[in-house]
Amino acid sequence: TSATPDTSAAAGQEVAALADIPVGGSIDATIGGEPVLVAQPTAGEVVAFSAICTHQGCVVAAAGDRFECPCHGSVFDAATGDVLQGPAPDPLPSVPVSVEGDRVVAG
Ligand code: FES
């Protein structure tokens, strides 16, 4: 299943430096111990998703403008979390993050 991880307890904690996330790309990170994927589709616009694959729960890896699951080859759009290639049945759940100056923080 694809329950959204509860990262609320980590609100305000730094996830990454904004400069570490390529514009048009993505990185692997964690929020409150949960694996997440953080992308910067356009400069200053940061989005994050659970890295738990909606197929069978493997940890999905950042791969530029895509996220790739190592287990059975699912591919997700790094800007939206949408499935580009199955077998994953559902998008990766969004995780709230915000930009504070030169930092990306949870919540
Ligand atoms: Fe990700 Fe199967 S667990 S494709």
Side-chain angles (χ1 to χ4, degrees):
T1 60
S2 59
T4 302
D6 181 7
T7 57
S8 56
Q13 291 182 9
E14 181 165 343
V15 178
L18 183 60
D20 288 345
I21 310 167
V23 176
S26 57
I27 61 168
D28 306 289
T30 60
I31 296 177
E34 294 282 344
V36 297
L37 299 153
V38 186
Q40 186 171 195
T42 61
E45 177 206 355
V46 175
V47 292
F49 303 92
S50 168
I52 303 300
C53 187
T54 57
H55 181 223
Q56 291 181 1
C58 289
V59 176
V60 178
D65 64 356
R66 298 171 162 217
F67 305 135
E68 297 177 354
C69 184
C71 288
H72 314 99
S74 287
V75 179
F76 303 86
D77 185 310
T80 63
D82 289 340
V83 177
L84 298 177
Q85 177 180 305
D90 295 306
L92 295 174
S94 178
V95 171
V97 292
S98 52
V99 177
E100 289 187 358
D102 59 1
R103 305 185 312 148
V104 177
V105 300

